[in-house]
Structures are given as structure tokens and as C-alpha cells.
Amino acid sequence: MSLATAMPSSEQLWLLLGPLSLFALVTSITPGPNNIMLASSGLNFGFRRTIPHMLGVNLGFTLMLILVGLGLDTVFHQFPWLYTVLKYVGAAYLLYLAWKIAQSGPLESGEQRSRPFSFLQAALFQWVNPKAWIMTVGIIVTYTPQTGFYWNLMLAALVCCLVNLPSLGVWVAFGAALQKFLHRPHAIRMFNIGMALLLVASLYPIVQDMI
């Protein structure tokens, strides 16, 4: 039996669980592209209509963590240019989303000129989300020891899935709660512009890397 497939002891798992849970909580609930977009969606579409977006982020990131941990990262080692392409495509897409958010305003009754993210759109977005990549690499490198690697990876995926979902829900609820206070179209537009600017600011690591 290899070190990767050997089952870690219960003591090792418990020692890993606390720090991993804390890392997952801090990285999930702090501002980032996903949370900013969810807050804006909560304001513009309400909590219920944003649930598919929220679940797409949660399960999409969990699947991404598992796939990268199982060896997809070797593809990027063999073709490093592919990671670079994904990084800049993701940055360009985030700028496009920021523009769409800044342009959005309150929907009139029955108006369908814009829609919240679907489950699939949100899940696929994780692959071009810079923060999702930082979280994934950080979890795999720090919280999945080689002894019992596959067991540790599954534990990490489960913990992140369980911690991430309510953290995302906080941001959706925050945006939805603002519907009670932001009645005027101008106020909603200003909130969306603020969220768009925060989304652009989240690209700082990529800009710094370019410089």
C-alpha cells in the first residue's frame, strides 16, 4: 500500500480538521469574486433566485479541488502556458462581469432583461476564478499530507463543501437584505457600481504579477 492510499490515523485526521476548517472559513467568507457577485445577485434577484448560483459555486469549487488534487495539476506542469491562458482569460471575463454588474439596475415587474448565474455557469466560473485557484493550491499543498493523501483530499473536499455553502449564503442574504433599504434605482445602481469596483480590485494579484 502506498503512502497516498494508506488510511491516516484518527489522530492525524483530527489534527488536520481544525486548521483546515479555519482556513476554509476564512477564505470562503472573505471578499472575493464569488462573494461579490453573490451579494449583487442577492440584491438584484433575491435569495431564492440566487440559490442555483450559490450551489454552482459550492459544488463547482469542491469538484475543482478534487480534480486538481487527483492529478489535473500535472497537465499544467506539462503545459504551463495553459495555466497562463486560463489566468488571463479569467481576468478578462471578470472585467466583463464587472461591467455587466455596474450596468445593471433594478428590474421592473415582469422584466427579464437580465438573469442570475445558472448552476452550470457558476460551476464553470471556478476554473477561471483567481481566488478559487489560490484556495485550491493552498489546501492541497498545506492540508493534504502525502501519508493518506487521497483520504486527506476527500476530507478537505468535504470540509470545504460544508463550510463554504453557509459562508456563501451570508453574502447572498446580505445582498437580499439590502432590498429593504435600497428602494431607489439610483441607490441600487450605486451599490452595483461599488460591487463592480470591488470585483475589479480583486484582480490586483494578476496585475501585480504582470508588472
Side-chain angles (χ1 to χ4, degrees):
M1 182 180 294
S2 68
L3 288 176
T5 57
M7 181 180 292
S9 67
S10 57
E11 182 180 358
Q12 289 174 317
L13 290 176
W14 280 111
L15 288 174
L16 185 65
L17 189 59
L20 173 60
S21 299
L22 182 60
F23 178 87
L25 176 62
V26 171
T27 52
S28 295
I29 206 166
T30 49
N34 282 321
N35 291 336
I36 293 168
M37 291 164 58
L38 285 169
S40 180
S41 182
L43 171 67
N44 291 286
F45 303 108
F47 193 98
R48 184 180 61 83
R49 292 187 65 191
T50 305
I51 289 177
H53 184 172
M54 184 171 62
L55 292 177
V57 171
N58 179 249
L59 297 179
F61 174 75
T62 302
L63 179 61
M64 175 183 175
L65 176 61
I66 293 173
L67 291 179
V68 172
L70 289 177
L72 191 60
D73 61 322
T74 59
V75 175
F76 296 112
H77 282 102
Q78 294 178 359
F79 306 101
W81 57 268
L82 182 59
Y83 177 76
T84 303
V85 168
L86 275 176
K87 181 169 63 174
Y88 291 115
V89 167
Y93 188 53
L94 279 175
L95 290 175
Y96 167 75
L97 292 175
W99 171 254
K100 295 290 288 184
I101 290 173
Q103 291 296 306
S104 64
L107 293 178
E108 301 296 337
S109 178
E111 192 176 359
Q112 298 294 330
R113 62 179 172 79
S114 60
R115 298 178 180 178
F117 257 34
S118 68
F119 175 89
L120 183 59
Q121 285 175 317
L124 292 176
F125 173 68
Q126 303 317 302
W127 292 93
V128 294
N129 180 2
K131 185 179 178 182
W133 277 106
I134 292 171
M135 290 173 62
T136 298
V137 172
I139 290 168
I140 292 174
V141 171
T142 309
Y143 300 104
T144 53
Q146 290 303 305
T147 301
F149 174 79
Y150 295 121
W151 291 94
N152 292 325
L153 178 63
M154 293 302 110
L155 174 65
L158 177 62
V159 169
C160 288
C161 185
L162 294 177
V163 173
N164 180 255
L165 186 59
S167 300
L168 299 174
V170 168
W171 284 84
V172 181
F174 166 69
L178 289 178
Q179 289 180 335
K180 299 179 181 179
F181 304 100
L182 301 181
H183 301 291
R184 298 180 180 179
H186 177 72
I188 295 177
R189 176 60 59 82
M190 293 305 296
F191 176 84
N192 286 332
I193 290 175
M195 292 295 100
L197 291 174
L198 286 175
L199 196 58
V200 172
S202 71
L203 292 173
Y204 172 75
I206 294 179
V207 175
Q208 189 179 38
D209 183 53
M210 291 175 63
I211 296 175

